[in-house]
């Protein structure tokens, strides 16, 4: 844990509330905790259905003219905040009791404030909605988001300028990735220099939402800031060399970095007057959704792994001694001033599961689950790679690839010759999808030095409610699988960080987050429960063989079709 001042009183004021948001790809959510850390309210605005006039699909626009360009309308996020607060108000949430709030943003997405917009932010009229006042506040109306893969050229340029991909990873925690904010900024600077110059401030989704709430430009927090290829991961400060490799005059457009537990500002008077927040309500720095999930899952043991099955699938854990490499990401731990979190990210998560379900399981999760239960573990050697979107890990284009292994029950991987096939029967297709996603996670987690087998896995995200998927996780990873009471760990983690930030603020410096929940974990919304015991060891070893084979095929696919 980080350097912490001693703290005698870790209690939160009775009758106070802590609000956490999650501004994600498909929705804006809010979770409210009381001072015993129990959930007392939650609300969601789904972008496609709740704000249909933006005409998004899955919360995004997929540009059919520019390969890989995926953006979201910035104003939609603003209007979602208007709507969500109205919904919470209609549900009689007493805003006056909220002592602190914080939030999660989808990582890497960026917002471009037009020159002079800070004046607009600081003088919002409480009689009008935000969306009606910020229409011309952005120099770019469509924010690039984490699903974008249109910046391969900029990635290569940045890596070259800092001395190679591995060097950039050692410096910033990741090699250059298309969705990372630095390459996105460089693309704008190269293609639309006038827009770049008309931009006063560049925010991440996290610091953007915090800016709305404090009525001023909020800092980028050190954890989400590590998802930009711009921050020196060890010093937790902007890296001059990375900034210079990206675009001129960038540091002043980014503003200062701040630790995740820091106070961003008091809630803007706009919200005090319009929704009756207490004027002393603290806004704690927002951070990325994955870092906040780490907080929401109370992940604090190096041997534990979390698997989040959402729009993106992610695998993450904590370490004090990270080894940034050509794969995976290292970020500062948002609730520990010295430690780090390590993470793998897959773009083909729930939208791909849904797509394969629609094609092969009659558009029904029930049928999907029946197919998973009907088919044997190991799928009789049928193995699939399903990329509905350009994948991040491995970097492969859209396409589905299916293989059948001959001699499948052989004891060494060399026995396992495979041949490619066009299709599987529907039940095998579903199992090939799930086993494929999980085997890839295990293989890449091991290659990145994550614990193997993990002490335990904590599963979260929508698909963690699915017992058949949990059972496959237990058999493939060979460890117990835990789940949390509610699958939305990012907004829960944000609410928890709001309470943590409140304590740090009261103490005048950082206090360990464990101070908040010591002795009460079992009684609160944060409780993890064992959902699936580890699979049998023989099966785990057979999966290890299959995993080796999968990586061989994957490497071949990358050599043949890969973007790098
Ligand atoms: C993380 C990533 C995604 C987004 C999803 O690197 O790209 O998990 O954070 O919101």
């Amino acid at each position: 844990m980080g350097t912490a001042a001693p703290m005698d009183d870790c209690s939160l004021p009775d009758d106070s509330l802590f609000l956490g948001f999650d501004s994600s790809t498909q929705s804006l959510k809010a979770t409210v905790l009381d001072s015993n850390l129990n959930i007392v309210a939650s609300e969601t605005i789904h972008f496609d259905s709740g704000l249909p006039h933006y005409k998004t699909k899955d919360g995004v626009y997929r540009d059919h003219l520019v390969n890989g360009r995926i953006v979201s309308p910035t104003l939609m996020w603003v209007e979602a905040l208007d709507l969500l607060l109205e919904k919470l108000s209609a549900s009689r949430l007493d805003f006056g009791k909220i002592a602190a709030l914080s939030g999660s943003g989808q990582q890497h997405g960026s917002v471009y404030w037009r020159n002079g917009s800070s004046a607009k932010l600081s003088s919002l009229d409480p009689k009008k909605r935000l969306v009606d006042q910020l229409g011309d506040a952005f120099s770019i109306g469509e924010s690039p988001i984490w699903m974008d893969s249109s910046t391969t050229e900029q990635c290569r340029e940045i890596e070259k300028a800092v001395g190679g991909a591995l060097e950039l990873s050692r410096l910033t925690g990741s090699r250059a990735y298309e969705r990372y904010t630095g390459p996105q900024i460089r693309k704008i600077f190269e293609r639309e220099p006038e827009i770049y110059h008309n931009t006063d401030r560049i925010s991440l989704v996290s610091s953007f939402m915090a800016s709305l709430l404090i009525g001023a430009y909020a800092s980028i927090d050190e954890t989400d800031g590590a998802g930009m290829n711009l921050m020196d991961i060890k010093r937790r400060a902007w890296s001059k060399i990375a900034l210079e490799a990206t675009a001129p005059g960038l540091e002043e457009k980014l503003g200062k970095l701040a630790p995740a537990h820091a106070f961003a500002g008091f809630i803007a008077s706009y919200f005090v007057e319009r929704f009756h927040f207490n004027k002393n309500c603290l806004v704690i720095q927002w951070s990325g959704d994955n870092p906040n999930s780490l907080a929401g899952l109370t992940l604090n043991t190096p041997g534990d792994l979390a698997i989040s099955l959402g729009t993106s699938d992610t695998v993450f854990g904590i370490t004090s001694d990270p080894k940034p490499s050509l794969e995976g990401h290292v970020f500062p731990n948002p609730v520990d001033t010295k430690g780090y979190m390590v993470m793998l990210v897959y773009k083909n998560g729930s939208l791909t599961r849904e797509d394969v379900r629609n094609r092969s399981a009659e558009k029904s999760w029930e049928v999907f689950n029946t197919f998973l239960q009907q088919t044997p573990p190991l799928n009789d050697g049928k193995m699939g790679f399903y990329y509905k979107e350009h994948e991040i890990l491995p970097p492969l284009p859209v396409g589905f690839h299916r293989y059948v292994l001959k001699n499948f029950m052989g004891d060494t991987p060399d026995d396992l010759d495979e041949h490619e096939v066009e299709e599987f029967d529907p039940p095998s297709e579903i199992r090939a999808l799930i086993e494929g996603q999980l085997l890839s996670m295990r293989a890449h987690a091991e290659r990145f030095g994550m614990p193997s087998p993990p002490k335990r896995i904590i599963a979260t995200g929508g698909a963690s409610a699915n017992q058949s998927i949990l059972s496959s996780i237990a058999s493939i990873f060979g460890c117990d699988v835990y789940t949390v009471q509610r699958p939305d760990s990012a907004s829960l983690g944000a609410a928890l960080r709001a309470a943590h930030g409140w304590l740090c603020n009261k103490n005048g410096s950082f206090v360990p987050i464990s101070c908040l929940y010591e002795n009460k974990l079992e009684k609160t919304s944060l409780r993890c429960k064992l959902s699936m015991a580890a699979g049998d060891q023989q099966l785990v070893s057979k999966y290890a063989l299959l995993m080796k084979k999968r990586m061989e095929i994957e490497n071949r696919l990358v050599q043949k079709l890969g973007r790098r």
Side-chain angles (χ1 to χ4, degrees), residues 52 121 149 311 353 377 457 479 507 547:
L121 256 182
S149 58
T311 310
R353 283 186 285 276
I457 284 176
C479 67
N507 192 47
M547 177 179 85

Side-chain angles (χ1 to χ4, degrees), residues 5-14 18 100 261 263 282 284 498-511 515:
M7 176 107 185
D8 300 332
D9 179 12
C10 289
S11 59
L12 300 168
D14 284 347
F18 297 88
H261 66 266
F263 166 66
L282 310 183
I284 302 302
H500 178 229
W502 186 92
L503 273 185
C504 295
N505 190 265
K506 179 175 144 208
N507 192 47
S509 66
F510 179 82
V511 293
C515 167

Side-chain angles (χ1 to χ4, degrees), residues 22-26 105-109 145-147 179-180 224 227 288-291 308 311-314 329 331 343-347 392:
D22 178 20
S23 180
S24 71
T25 320
Q26 303 196 56
Q106 53 168 307
Q107 295 196 260
H108 321 295
I145 65 148
W146 68 275
M147 294 171 82
R179 68 193 193 285
Y180 269 48
D224 214 15
D289 49 2
N290 294 294
S308 170
T311 310
S312 61
D313 284 349
T314 57
H329 314 290
F331 303 131
M343 181 169 81
L344 304 173
V345 181
Y346 294 88
K347 207 194 282 184
I392 296 164

Side-chain angles (χ1 to χ4, degrees), residues 301-499:
T301 312
D304 287 352
L305 267 196
I307 294 187
S308 170
L309 301 167
T311 310
S312 61
D313 284 349
T314 57
V315 182
F316 51 86
I318 59 168
T319 179
S320 52
D321 181 26
K323 304 211 167 34
S325 70
L326 290 179
E327 208 166 85
H329 314 290
V330 178
F331 303 131
N333 183 331
V335 288
D336 176 354
T337 55
K338 293 243 160 49
Y340 296 87
M341 72 178 278
V342 283
M343 181 169 81
L344 304 173
V345 181
Y346 294 88
K347 207 194 282 184
N348 287 275
S350 62
L351 296 175
T352 302
R353 283 186 285 276
E354 221 168 277
D355 182 66
V356 176
R357 176 202 72 168
N358 292 349
R359 290 163 195 253
S360 301
E362 301 163 29
K363 301 191 172 162
S364 144
W365 287 120
E366 234 180 300
V367 176
F368 185 99
N369 290 342
T370 311
F371 284 173
L372 256 184
Q373 283 150 14
Q374 261 175 17
T375 42
L378 306 162
N379 211 16
D380 292 326
K382 295 183 194 117
M383 188 187 283
F385 298 74
Y386 299 86
Y387 306 121
K388 175 180 158 358
E389 312 272 357
H390 281 234
E391 183 48 78
I392 296 164
L393 188 59
L396 279 175
V398 173
F400 288 3
H401 315 273
R402 303 175 185 84
Y403 300 86
V404 178
L405 303 184
K406 284 182 240 150
N407 303 327
F408 173 60
M409 298 317 277
D411 282 338
T412 68
D414 306 335
D415 291 345
L416 302 178
D417 279 341
E418 82 280 354
H419 65 274
E420 196 164 355
V421 295
E422 277 299 305
E423 56 179 23
F424 292 146
D425 58 282
S428 305
E429 177 90 335
I430 299 300
R431 182 162 279 279
L433 166 73
I434 295 300
E435 288 193 344
Q437 290 184 326
L438 297 174
L439 280 171
S440 170
M441 288 178 192
R442 179 175 160 195
H444 287 284
E446 285 182 7
R447 200 150 98 176
F448 193 35
M450 289 175 166
S452 170
K455 278 200 186 119
R456 60 173 186 162
I457 284 176
I458 308 176
T460 179
S464 67
N466 183 319
Q467 289 298 310
S468 317
I469 294 182
L470 295 182
S471 158
S472 294
I473 298 180
S475 317
I476 288 176
F477 282 84
C479 67
D480 293 344
V481 180
Y482 286 71
T483 52
V484 273
Q485 205 184 340
R486 297 171 59 109
D488 42 1
S489 53
S491 61
L492 179 61
L496 192 65
R497 284 214 317 97

